[in-house]
Amino acid sequence: MQRRLIGWGALLGMLSVAIGAFGSHILKPVISEHYLQVYETGVQYHMFHALALILIGLTAGQWGESVRLRWAGRLMIAGVILFSGSLYILSISGIKLLGAITPLGGVCFIAGWICLAVEAFSRKK
């Protein structure tokens, strides 16, 4: 579990850098300032939660595997896909309906952080 979470975190972090560079160099002259900000928000949350996955993986290495840590990782990955992914597509396509998906990703992020917090507070040591 630990290696998988750290591996996913590293891959998502790399992808965040690549997507951010794409936005900065390719999209900046093509899309409006508003949609560029939407895109950049997706990149920021993408990177924050890639780092969170690495943190969860390191935590699993220290505390041992648990169902809550596994779910925290799954929810972070789902959050990146739903939250950041919907913002990327929205900013490029302008399809506003995709904005309805974004909050689902936010809920995944929140639930993932809750899983991590509950695991931390439920530790005996």
Side-chain angles (χ1 to χ4, degrees):
M1 182 175 120
Q2 178 185 11
R3 288 183 180 179
R4 279 193 181 146
L5 289 169
I6 293 171
W8 276 108
L11 285 173
L12 287 174
M14 176 275 306
L15 192 58
S16 174
V17 172
I19 289 170
F22 175 78
S24 179
H25 298 291
I26 306 296
L27 291 181
K28 192 173 186 176
V30 177
I31 63 176
S32 72
E33 183 64 33
H34 169 72
Y35 280 126
L36 188 60
Q37 288 177 346
V38 169
Y39 189 89
E40 289 172 352
T41 298
V43 172
Q44 286 178 334
Y45 277 78
H46 186 151
M47 180 57 82
F48 293 153
H49 291 87
L51 294 172
L53 273 169
I54 293 170
L55 171 72
I56 295 165
L58 293 172
T59 301
Q62 290 293 310
W63 295 347
E65 294 185 16
S66 77
V67 172
R68 283 185 286 252
L69 290 177
R70 186 171 291 114
W71 272 104
R74 290 174 180 163
L75 289 162
M76 296 295 179
I77 293 169
V80 168
I81 293 167
L82 295 172
F83 185 90
S84 296
S86 66
L87 291 181
Y88 298 147
I89 296 170
L90 168 66
S91 62
I92 292 169
S93 70
I95 301 171
K96 295 186 192 245
L97 183 63
L98 292 169
I101 296 170
T102 308
L104 297 174
V107 169
C108 289
F109 287 149
I110 292 166
W113 286 110
I114 289 170
C115 286
L116 181 58
V118 169
E119 181 67 21
F121 289 124
S122 68
R123 303 296 301 175
K124 301 283 188 233
K125 295 181 183 180

